[in-house]
Amino acid sequence: MSRLMEPLSVGRVIGEVVDNFIPSVKLNVTYNSNKQVSNGHELMPAVITAKPRVEIGGEDMRAAYTLVMTDPDAPSPSDAYLREHLHWIVTDIPGTTDASFGREIVSYETPKPAIGIHRYVFILFKQRARHSVRPPASRDHFNTRSFAEENGLGLPVAAVYFNAQRETACRKR
């Protein structure tokens, strides 16, 4: 297993959200221009209120990508009956650019973890053609695997996740 994949397996992203895949495109997610998302690291809810900047590698601007952001721990990690809750989908993102050049088909919903530590996962898929991805019917009970299958996306080309939990009065500084 590659070093890139190990944190995704340990964090149960591979298995619970997506199947094992080989990363082939660079994916950088940054909140507030200075908080880069790293697998398994914690970000405070105050930092993740606005949509992040998402930079995509790849070698061809003609290629199109779909970015999915999901919470597999909704409403709580011990009782994730809404699994997964969808936070964001951007499609038709050109390679070697950022998500702001894509088409937002599900608007960014600020993560608000109420109970426990939640994983927020960004999954990147390479599209077969532009304008080929349709939005799901609901944010709740979203399934990344089913969404990818229904839209002919195949396996992911990149993924990264962070953890967040509710800020209590004593934790805020």
Side-chain angles (χ1 to χ4, degrees):
M1 180 181 306
S2 79
R3 294 181 64 171
L4 285 172
M5 300 302 288
E6 193 172 326
L8 295 171
S9 293
V10 170
R12 299 180 332 276
V13 170
I14 291 175
E16 289 184 11
V17 181
V18 295
D19 293 324
N20 204 6
F21 68 95
I22 297 168
S24 58
V25 174
K26 193 169 182 169
L27 174 65
N28 285 321
V29 180
T30 309
Y31 280 95
N32 293 344
S33 72
N34 66 350
K35 296 284 187 190
Q36 184 155 353
V37 172
S38 296
N39 284 321
H41 290 206
E42 184 174 358
L43 293 177
M44 296 295 167
V47 171
I48 56 179
T49 56
K51 67 175 107 170
R53 177 176 172 84
V54 179
E55 298 170 325
I56 294 167
E59 46 307 314
D60 188 354
M61 281 249 347
R62 295 169 295 187
Y65 295 90
T66 292
L67 177 75
V68 173
M69 179 187 179
T70 183
D71 174 1
D73 300 316
S76 77
S78 61
D79 185 20
Y81 66 85
L82 295 178
R83 176 172 292 154
E84 303 161 36
H85 182 78
L86 179 64
H87 282 271
W88 196 28
I89 297 180
V90 183
T91 66
D92 301 329
I93 306 166
T96 70
T97 187
D98 69 75
S100 65
F101 290 97
R103 190 168 58 100
E104 191 175 65
I105 63 170
V106 176
S107 62
Y108 182 78
E109 180 182 90
T110 301
K112 294 183 176 106
I115 301 167
I117 299 171
H118 289 242
R119 295 166 293 165
Y120 294 96
V121 186
F122 294 91
I123 307 113
L124 188 68
F125 296 95
K126 186 172 184 179
Q127 295 172 216
R128 293 194 180 140
R130 291 187 188 275
H131 305 289
S132 62
V133 178
R134 306 219 178 287
S138 170
R139 287 183 186 262
D140 288 332
H141 307 290
F142 180 77
N143 184 293
T144 300
R145 285 184 186 94
S146 297
F147 175 77
E149 188 177 314
E150 290 161 11
N151 287 284
L153 296 171
L155 289 173
V157 294
V160 66
Y161 81 101
F162 68 91
N163 295 321
Q165 61 184 309
R166 185 172 159 207
E167 289 185 62
T168 59
C170 62
R171 286 185 70 200
K172 285 185 182 176
R173 287 188 194 167

